[in-house]
Amino acid sequence: MLVGARLSDADFERLSRRLAQERARLRGLDSLDGWALSGAATEVVDGVILEVMEAIGVSRRVQPIALGSYGRGDLCPWSDVDLMLLCQDPQDFEKERVDGVFYALWDQGFQVGHAVRTVDEALALAREDHTVLSSLLEHRPVRPGAPLEALQRGLAALFRDGKRVEDFIDAKIGETRERHARFDGTVFMLEPNVKEGPGGLRDLHLARWVARARWKVDGFQDLLKRSFLSEREANPLIRAESFLIWARWHMHQLSGRRQDHLRFDLQEALGELLSPDGRAAPDLDPRRRTERFMRAYYFHAGEVEQHTASVVERARASSTGTTGFEVAIRPAAGGFKLWKDSLTVSQRNQLLDDPSAVVRLFRVAQEEALPIYSYTKNLVREACRRFDAQTRRRNDVLSEFFWLLEDPKSDGRVLREFHELGVLRALIPEFRRVTSRWQHSLYHTYTVDVHSIIVLENLKRLRRGDFVSESVELTRWMSELLRPHVVYFAGLLHDVGKGWPKGDHSIRGEQVARVVGRRFEEAELIEWGPRETEDLAWLVREHLLMSDLSQRRDVSDPDLLEDFAGRCETLERLRMLHILTFADMRGTSPKVWTSWKGSLLAQLSTNAAGLLMSSADAHERLQRRRRRLQHELVAEASRRPELGVRPDEVQEFVDVMPPRYIFGFTPRRMVRHVEMWRDVSRLGGFSFHVSALRRESLSRVTLVCPDRPGLLALLAGALAANRLEVKTAQIFSIDAALTPPDVTGYDPNETYDLVAMDPERAAERLALDVVHVTDERGQLCDEPERWRQFRADFEAVLFGGKTVESLLEARRPVSTLQPRAVPDVPVEVAFSNDESDEETIIDVWGPDRHALLFQLARALTDSDLVIGLAKISSQGGRVADGFYVRDAATGGKLKDPKRMEAIREALVEAFHRSSERPRPLSEMV
């Protein structure tokens, strides 16, 4: 029987013939149950291994152990066969015969992952390597034996160590995050990876591993029996696992090799095989069959992503060594609660009883950078199923939706979960038609709904300033839009017409946009009327216009420009369309957007802008915004009674604030500003509040103090002296409150982080500045002592006559290191009088240096300019700063070319000064 630990020729031939028959049988299987297919393959491999071991004469003291997909029983035609031969005593191995098992399998064409270990060796490796440990968790005996029992006892002992369980789960979560990042973190790629992508088989494996480690359960049926999952959670996972194995099985068969990338050609083939529908409806268009298959794939993958995340979250939250309830439940904003640092409801029926709370949950999660607890996500899905036509027209529900979108500091990431949990299509049911809508296009990377969400995220990031290094102009326009919600909804709905099968999707989308817009009108939202509906419909209809013209036509052709400008009608529409086009092209795929395409769009936009005039109804829109804001601020103040803000104070505050402020903040942040403005008006001095924005690695400083020329320079200098770098600055000059002072029983220390009230230093005009800063390492600063020092320094330069130069000199760090070599960055200065009705915009580019903002602001103040807004951006050692300025004497724009040149030279000189010893600041009072 033995021939040098290899099969005899007769045994080899017999095994080859049997395998050929079995493989032909497997190819002919016609089941929609993935487990039936993979189970059949697993049985074949089990039989082959046992036959080889018997033929070669391997002792029964050596135990064959199936691992990986072979251990789970989900083998596909070209899967690796992971086999470990296990024993208790190393002398039990007869090396030449053990090796013969693997040679025989290789000779038959199997891809074998092999290992020969004792029980002690296997357990030792498992202690050191969580990858080995996860593989052993899914071990399956090909035949029973004593070594297996010893291995199982050893694994059970390993997981009695709670710390090991925690470390194992954390390691697997870390692996999953890295793996998802390779696939853009979304299920809805047009050509997904069925095994490794989000919502793929590996996510199911992750859930199995952590469940086995934490609760000692085997599979989703056991999770259901042990009540760790409900039927609504477990059954979708069981169905999805079968579907994904079925898809992967046929991908291997069709490719003739291991293939986990679901390419377009495989999608078409699988669409033919998916269900009897294909045979019962032979006239069904092949493209529709493919689309039907992909929708099924996205549905199951979405279920996997959703419910496996719940398994992992619960496993991570469980603690094997605690008893009782040791986690504090704390109140959170919006009437919610915090449990284990996750946002949850206060009562079980809170979301069912109050539909607006469903949207407010995401608003709070966004503003507070909090995750939503998995149990609460299930409640969200349940509540969304009850949304009806009346709910979609409720003012309170849609108002929460609008504020969720309009938060100018958010990056829009919460909107993905908002969509995935079904809230978006509950509010806008027309969006259901494009949910998981497949696109057979190499031009696109994502499904229609995910592409639309990414476009919306791009718009949010543009408003936040994330793209300022690419386009200062678009960033400025987006931040100044009086009605950003129109563009947000245009981004969301621009491709909604693809949900209907025939005709131009832009025309169909326009019709849908009108339906949605009229629904908003019926809700009597303050900021939505017929004009907004018309602009939304126009943007959806024309969303491809600029990209088509800029890339396919001569954008300097006078006739083309006149026609394009006529279609835009207003400068506002032109800018909204340019912004939408930018976001759309960036959201199509990583390869679509290029700087060249951006320059073509800019050229078309600039040429058309010369033919248009600004809209004449800006004042009316501003007044509508003020009315809505006043209503929201009063409601927000009522939810925060500890601030003591009265409705009459809110009204006065809203009346005195400039338009740039009115459109720049959410009511939740404004309430603090009202309080600070009121108290500094009454008590003099200054106040400031520091917030840690941990998700963005920034500290937000809000300051209210007497206004004076050069205040930005003083503020930037005091921050620089404390090694704090300004990233953005918004500066507002406003009237003080008219209410007479009343200091009875007032204790400012109960209100602000840091205050310096002094009635002797009251002023008629105040500055309200909001700046975002980092420490010298580019991280948020949460050192209380450094902020106390800043407070003392700023008070000294504001009221005590101390100079910023003396502060910078005293705090200048002494270093013996040579300066780090950096690429040369040229200094550029540009002036624009066409983009703002009242101010000249000065854009400055150059090398990033310590205390640069102080030097630039001082140069502008020394040039007799009033700074109304500063947009600060630094990246890769380069700054791109924008300053909105007015002539201090006339209050108007800069017009004298000679003066502009002098200002240019002063700003260039400021870059040189920023790397030298400071010199005295000119008198600014």
Side-chain angles (χ1 to χ4, degrees):
M1 182 71 67
L2 282 174
V3 181
R6 303 291 286 268
L7 291 178
S8 67
D9 291 343
D11 288 336
F12 180 84
E13 289 297 328
R14 184 176 65 253
L15 182 61
S16 297
R17 285 194 300 272
R18 189 168 79 80
L19 265 178
Q21 293 172 349
E22 291 288 359
R23 284 168 172 159
R25 180 178 68 85
L26 291 176
R27 283 194 295 272
L29 290 178
D30 185 21
S31 173
L32 293 175
D33 181 357
W35 282 111
L37 297 173
S38 62
T42 301
E43 288 179 6
V44 170
V45 176
D46 282 354
V48 168
I49 290 173
L50 293 177
E51 183 175 339
V52 168
M53 292 182 70
E54 182 178 353
I56 292 179
V58 177
S59 168
R60 293 186 67 86
R61 293 189 301 271
V62 177
Q63 171 73 1
I65 304 293
L67 303 175
S69 60
Y70 181 34
R72 289 187 299 271
D74 61 5
L75 275 180
C76 291
W78 292 88
S79 296
D80 287 348
V81 176
D82 292 325
L83 178 65
M84 178 176 68
L85 298 182
L86 186 72
C87 71
Q88 288 179 299
D89 188 340
Q91 295 180 357
D92 289 342
F93 285 123
E94 300 175 48
K95 186 176 186 304
E96 72 282 357
R97 295 186 180 183
V98 168
D99 287 351
V101 175
F102 300 120
Y103 284 124
L105 294 174
W106 287 326
D107 289 344
Q108 294 297 331
F110 291 101
Q111 301 294 318
V112 183
H114 62 290
V116 179
R117 293 180 183 135
T118 66
V119 172
D120 290 340
E121 289 171 340
L123 292 174
L125 284 171
R127 292 187 189 95
E128 298 173 1
D129 189 337
H130 61 77
T131 302
V132 174
L133 182 54
S134 59
S135 178
L136 288 176
L137 281 176
E138 297 182 309
H139 71 274
R140 181 182 58 84
V142 179
R143 70 182 179 195
L148 173 65
E149 297 170 3
L151 176 67
Q152 291 173 334
R153 288 195 299 271
L155 288 174
L158 285 180
F159 283 112
R160 282 195 288 269
D161 179 354
K163 178 65 165 55
R164 187 183 303 280
V165 173
E166 303 291 341
D167 291 345
F168 175 78
I169 293 175
D170 287 344
K172 289 301 165 188
I173 292 173
E175 283 181 359
T176 302
R177 286 173 179 160
E178 293 178 3
R179 174 169 53 82
H180 284 186
R182 297 199 302 270
F183 301 96
D184 290 347
T186 179
V187 166
F188 300 97
M189 302 289 288
L190 291 184
E191 293 183 295
N193 188 297
V194 172
K195 182 180 180 183
E196 300 289 342
L201 286 165
R202 190 63 82 199
D203 282 1
L204 290 162
H205 304 162
L206 167 71
R208 287 174 173 275
W209 292 331
V210 299
R212 185 82 60 87
R214 174 63 78 193
W215 299 306
K216 316 300 184 293
V217 296
D218 185 13
F220 302 117
Q221 289 284 9
D222 281 355
L223 282 169
L224 176 59
K225 292 177 183 177
R226 297 272 301 275
S227 298
F228 291 113
L229 286 179
S230 67
E231 287 190 4
R232 185 177 289 177
E233 295 168 316
N235 289 337
L237 288 175
I238 294 168
R239 290 191 294 267
E241 191 165 27
S242 175
F243 175 86
L244 292 174
I245 294 172
W246 174 89
R248 187 171 185 244
W249 169 278
H250 287 291
M251 289 164 65
H252 283 210
Q253 289 281 40
L254 292 166
S255 301
R257 61 185 177 86
R258 179 168 29 176
Q259 175 61 266
D260 299 327
H261 182 204
L262 189 49
R263 304 186 315 257
F264 286 132
D265 57 332
L266 292 174
Q267 294 172 18
E268 294 175 1
L270 290 174
E272 298 283 345
L273 298 172
L274 176 61
S275 71
D277 291 347
R279 293 184 292 276
D283 57 335
L284 187 64
D285 181 80
R287 187 183 181 92
R288 296 296 304 280
R289 285 197 291 265
T290 304
E291 182 177 336
R292 180 193 57 196
F293 163 72
M294 289 305 297
R295 290 193 74 132
Y297 170 81
Y298 293 132
F299 172 79
H300 287 298
E303 295 281 271
V304 169
E305 184 178 48
Q306 168 186 325
H307 295 304
T308 58
S310 296
V311 174
V312 174
E313 185 178 72
R314 291 169 198 175
R316 195 176 194 183
S318 299
S319 179
T320 56
T322 62
T323 59
F325 297 93
E326 302 182 3
V327 180
I329 298 177
R330 307 190 307 276
F336 301 107
K337 290 185 178 180
L338 284 177
W339 191 80
K340 289 183 179 290
D341 294 325
S342 294
L343 197 61
T344 189
V345 293
S346 298
Q347 298 90 28
R348 171 67 173 79
N349 290 329
Q350 183 178 5
L351 303 184
L352 295 177
D353 296 339
D354 179 10
S356 68
V358 176
V359 188
R360 188 164 64 252
L361 179 74
F362 291 88
R363 181 177 171 186
V364 173
Q366 175 174 267
E367 292 182 348
E368 304 296 334
L370 291 169
I372 299 174
Y373 187 55
S374 60
Y375 164 77
T376 310
K377 293 177 184 178
N378 292 334
L379 298 181
V380 169
R381 297 185 189 98
E382 181 181 350
C384 287
R385 283 191 281 269
R386 300 195 183 188
F387 276 37
D388 55 17
Q390 183 179 359
T391 305
R392 298 181 191 107
R393 289 168 172 81
R394 282 181 52 160
N395 182 279
D396 58 342
V397 174
L398 290 178
S399 290
E400 290 287 355
F401 186 24
F402 272 52
W403 284 118
L404 174 71
L405 290 178
E406 289 188 21
D407 184 349
K409 297 304 178 185
S410 75
D411 60 6
R413 283 184 292 182
V414 75
L415 295 169
R416 292 201 185 197
E417 194 165 48
F418 190 76
H419 169 47
E420 290 165 2
L421 295 181
V423 190
L424 180 57
R425 53 187 180 271
L427 288 171
I428 305 178
E430 294 81 3
F431 204 71
R432 294 172 184 165
R433 298 290 295 263
V434 294
T435 297
S436 302
R437 175 68 67 177
W438 171 81
Q439 303 183 83
H440 192 97
S441 169
L442 294 176
Y443 186 72
H444 286 85
T445 302
Y446 312 101
T447 55
V448 177
D449 57 328
V450 170
H451 162 68
S452 301
I453 296 295
I454 291 173
V455 171
L456 183 54
E457 288 177 356
N458 286 341
L459 292 168
K460 296 291 298 177
R461 294 178 60 205
L462 185 64
R463 185 167 178 83
R464 199 173 72 150
D466 291 0
F467 296 121
V468 69
S469 60
E470 290 185 41
S471 178
V472 175
E473 190 172 53
L474 287 178
T475 299
R476 180 183 302 134
W477 291 349
M478 188 66 196
S479 68
E480 293 178 344
L481 278 182
L482 296 178
R483 302 175 298 157
H485 46 279
V486 176
V487 182
Y488 291 149
F489 282 110
L492 189 63
L493 299 176
H494 74 285
D495 274 349
V496 72
K498 291 181 178 179
W500 282 259
K502 295 181 180 180
D504 185 336
H505 80 276
S506 297
I507 301 302
R508 296 194 306 272
E510 176 192 11
Q511 297 167 350
V512 174
R514 291 188 187 281
V515 172
V516 175
R518 287 168 187 154
R519 192 181 304 138
F520 293 162
E521 292 178 44
E522 293 170 16
E524 298 182 350
L525 295 165
I526 293 176
E527 286 224 51
W528 196 278
R531 172 64 186 279
E532 283 68 36
T533 298
E534 284 300 315
D535 285 343
L536 171 64
W538 181 85
L539 285 169
V540 171
R541 185 181 72 240
E542 304 289 8
H543 74 273
L544 295 175
L545 178 61
M546 283 195 75
S547 59
D548 286 345
L549 291 180
S550 64
Q551 296 177 59
R552 299 169 55 196
R553 296 293 185 269
D554 180 4
V555 297
S556 62
D557 182 344
D559 292 336
L560 179 144
L561 290 172
E562 185 173 350
D563 178 70
F564 175 58
R567 292 171 71 172
C568 292
E569 295 183 355
T570 67
L571 185 61
E572 182 190 34
R573 274 191 172 183
L574 169 64
R575 289 180 174 176
M576 288 196 295
L577 182 60
H578 191 168
I579 287 167
L580 177 61
T581 306
F582 167 84
D584 186 17
M585 294 176 71
R586 285 195 65 95
T588 300
S589 82
K591 299 178 181 179
V592 168
W593 179 258
T594 65
S595 59
W596 169 244
K597 292 178 181 178
S599 67
L600 293 176
L601 285 175
Q603 185 179 357
L604 172 62
S605 180
T606 300
N607 291 344
L611 302 177
L612 295 169
M613 297 183 65
S614 299
S615 175
D617 61 348
H619 176 73
E620 174 58 25
R621 291 198 301 274
L622 175 60
Q623 294 308 110
R624 287 160 57 193
R625 177 77 173 201
R626 287 190 192 276
R627 292 194 299 271
R628 176 188 174 196
L629 185 59
Q630 181 177 333
H631 172 76
E632 292 287 336
L633 268 175
V634 169
E636 185 68 33
S638 69
R639 289 192 286 267
R640 301 169 68 182
E642 73 278 4
L643 300 182
V645 173
R646 303 194 310 266
D648 61 307
E649 293 168 343
V650 168
Q651 180 176 352
E652 185 178 344
F653 178 81
V654 172
D655 288 343
V656 301
M657 295 309 295
R660 182 176 292 140
Y661 176 88
I662 294 297
F663 292 96
F665 298 90
T666 61
R668 180 169 175 78
R669 296 191 179 121
M670 286 182 182
V671 170
R672 170 73 72 177
H673 301 170
V674 177
E675 180 196 23
M676 297 171 72
W677 163 81
R678 174 200 64 193
D679 293 336
V680 174
S681 297
R682 296 175 178 180
L683 301 174
F686 76 96
S687 70
F688 74 99
H689 184 272
V690 182
S691 300
L693 308 182
R694 300 192 181 278
R695 189 175 67 177
E696 302 174 25
S697 297
L698 291 170
S699 299
R700 180 175 62 230
V701 181
T702 306
L703 169 76
V704 177
C705 68
D707 197 12
R708 60 183 290 184
L711 183 63
L712 177 60
L714 297 179
L715 176 60
L719 288 167
N722 288 276
R723 307 184 314 284
L724 296 165
E725 303 293 335
V726 178
K727 296 303 178 185
T728 67
Q730 293 171 280
I731 309 144
F732 306 98
S733 180
I734 54 178
D735 292 330
L738 300 177
T739 307
D742 179 8
V743 297
T744 305
Y746 179 78
D747 182 1
N749 292 318
E750 294 182 356
T751 305
Y752 305 124
D753 291 20
L754 298 162
V755 297
M757 299 301 184
D758 184 353
E760 299 295 327
R761 295 167 178 166
E764 294 183 358
R765 290 199 62 78
L766 300 179
L768 191 158
D769 296 351
V770 180
V771 297
H772 290 81
V773 305
T774 67
D775 64 13
E776 64 273 23
R777 299 163 300 174
Q779 302 296 317
L780 69 84
C781 176
D782 54 4
E783 303 171 30
E785 183 54 41
R786 198 186 303 196
W787 287 115
R788 280 192 285 270
Q789 183 61 57
F790 164 75
R791 179 242 181 187
D793 291 341
F794 186 68
E795 185 176 11
V797 298
L798 189 63
F799 297 128
K802 195 174 186 68
T803 65
V804 171
E805 290 81 8
S806 64
L807 282 177
L808 292 172
E809 180 63 24
R811 310 279 174 77
R812 178 180 289 272
V814 178
S815 175
T816 58
L817 299 176
Q818 291 293 324
R820 183 170 62 92
V822 296
D824 183 50
V825 178
V827 176
E828 301 175 65
V829 179
F831 295 81
S832 174
N833 275 324
D834 300 326
E835 300 176 60
S836 173
D837 293 337
E838 299 177 352
E839 295 165 304
T840 296
I841 301 173
I842 304 178
D843 290 311
V844 181
W845 298 268
D848 194 5
R849 289 171 177 162
H850 179 64
L852 176 62
L853 179 58
F854 161 67
Q855 298 289 358
L856 294 174
R858 182 181 68 174
L860 294 172
T861 303
D862 283 348
S863 300
D864 294 324
L865 297 176
V866 176
I867 304 172
L869 178 67
K871 291 286 189 178
I872 314 301
S873 174
S874 60
Q875 185 176 11
R878 182 176 185 265
V879 298
D881 298 348
F883 299 93
Y884 287 61
V885 302
R886 300 190 317 273
D887 188 318
T890 66
K893 298 181 181 182
L894 297 172
K895 297 182 179 179
D896 184 357
K898 292 183 178 179
R899 189 177 177 198
M900 290 183 184
E901 183 59 33
I903 294 170
R904 185 196 310 275
E905 293 175 359
L907 291 170
V908 172
E909 177 63 22
F911 277 93
H912 298 308
R913 285 202 309 269
S914 65
S915 59
E916 301 171 353
R917 298 175 66 86
R919 60 185 178 81
L921 182 64
S922 61
E923 181 61 43
M924 293 188 176
V925 180

